[in-house]
Amino acid sequence: MKISFSPEDEQFRKEVAGWLKTNLTGEFEALRFRGGPGDEHSFPQERKLWEQHMAKAGWTCVGWPEQYGGRGLSINQQVIFNEEYARAGGPGHMSHIGEGLAGPTIIAFGTEAQKQKFLPGIVAGTEYWCQGYSEPGAGSDLANVKTKAALNDAGDQWVINGQKVWTSLAHESDWCFVIARTQPGSVGHKGLSFLLVPMDQSGIEVRPIEQLTATTEFNEVFFDNAVTDADNIVGQPGEGWKIAMALLGFERGVSTLGQQMQFRNELEGIVRIAKENGAAQNPAIRQRIADAWMGLKIMRYNSLRMLSGSEDGSLQREAMIYKLYWASWHADLGKLAMDVLGPDSELLESGPYELTRLQSMYLFTRSDTIYGGTNEIQRNIIAERALGMPKEPKGRQ
Ligand SMILES: Cc1cc2nc3c(=O)[nH]c(=O)nc-3n(C[C@H](O)[C@H](O)[C@H](O)COP(=O)(O)OP(=O)(O)OC[C@H]3O[C@@H](n4cnc5c(N)ncnc54)[C@H](O)[C@@H]3O)c2cc1C
């Protein structure tokens, strides 16, 4: 089993690190280590400019095929790129939903015309995307979506009515991919379609939801006779479930592998504070720091195991434990951070409600075990698909 990177990969690592060292400076210096989970509200416009800067040097969409504007990097090199990006303190990607989800889905299932229309804006960092899946009655039970879409009389536009919720960065997005029910009277995963909808129109209202962190990373999105062109549908009408599930494969896959370096940055910050404030003298804290470090190593080796087992880039059964593992680990790291800070964890640096990075991290990690599939749902997936246990009985017909 191959669990290391080749000399060529290590050479590539130097190239990435060198470019970031030279470029993440000057006007972009303030963005270092900003905009990650829990901090996504900060510097949105500046981060978009940074992405446009990266695009000019060919450092966006690095895993996409070259014919669609990517670099065609191997999975190993994508991991290296993401590791070095996090090590250098590269700001959270404003484009992660476009680059990691919408783009790969359009590449896999879109028409050539859709590829020409939508991919260049993602690569250039000029068009941003959000994900219109969840609804008040459809989260884990996603197939219960009620948002409806129908072609108008002329047959040239879809008309969309309904509501989405928890839509990350909708307020910063130009496009939304929406799962909508296009077959009247259908239930469950039948009769759904996958539509690409422009956000800048009178039929769409975006209402921010204030989170525990007092920031508004996600939103409610209301569709009141919103429209999109008839050909802005990926796949055929009624094929939305198949497309939506394939997209979740991208969400649970390669795009999350590089985040371990960001976790390492956080753990190193916590260890530094523990040394400074004496918490590191506490045997229970020392043990938890050691456990966190081991968890990080396990995540790394599990990633390498997944990569080495996958010549064609498809994800193996090992990938199914990844979301459950990192989400639980990160939630624990948030608690560890607060315990290392001790009473300081309850103090704010400045008023009226400005959280420190670790406080914000702690609160946001409460959501890690929810988004992208809750821990309970991940356990169901592992039980049914990896362990071959009987399927969960369906509550709804
Ligand atoms: C930070 C954040 C960002 C998000 N961004 C987006 C976004 O951009 N776009 C988008 O569409 N959605 C987004 N979501 C929504 C996310 O996908 C949903 O929150 C998630 O799918 C869970 O759905 P729910 O909130 O409706 O909870 P529910 O599905 O109602 O679940 C409630 C509880 O019941 C448990 N449960 C449900 N079904 C089962 C079962 N069958 N077996 C065992 N336990 C079960 C769950 O695990 C959970 O603990 C985001 C969520 C968060 C927290």
Side-chain angles (χ1 to χ4, degrees), residues 17 47 65 125 266:
R47 281 158 58 211
E266 290 171 353

Side-chain angles (χ1 to χ4, degrees), residues 247-282:
L247 179 140
L248 288 182
F250 297 122
E251 184 171 36
R252 290 170 190 158
V254 178
S255 60
T256 60
L257 293 176
Q259 72 186 4
Q260 289 163 26
M261 191 58 69
Q262 173 212 320
F263 292 167
R264 204 180 90 168
N265 289 339
E266 290 171 353
L267 178 58
E268 282 175 356
I270 292 166
V271 171
R272 198 169 49 246
I273 294 170
K275 285 181 181 163
E276 280 165 15
N277 74 3
Q281 303 302 320
N282 177 328

Side-chain angles (χ1 to χ4, degrees), residues 96-97 101 130-142 164-170 177 211 217-218 251 364 366-378 380 392-393:
H96 67 279
I97 296 174
L101 302 179
C130 59
Q131 176 175 20
Y133 275 28
S134 306
E135 298 183 1
S140 303
D141 189 9
L142 184 59
K164 298 291 173 180
V165 70
W166 319 127
T167 319
S168 297
L169 297 176
F177 47 88
Q211 292 165 234
E217 177 256 1
F218 56 33
E251 184 171 36
F364 198 83
R366 304 307 88 193
S367 71
D368 284 337
T369 55
I370 300 173
Y371 67 84
T374 69
N375 270 17
E376 291 75 19
I377 294 303
Q378 298 302 329
N380 278 351
E392 180 187 25

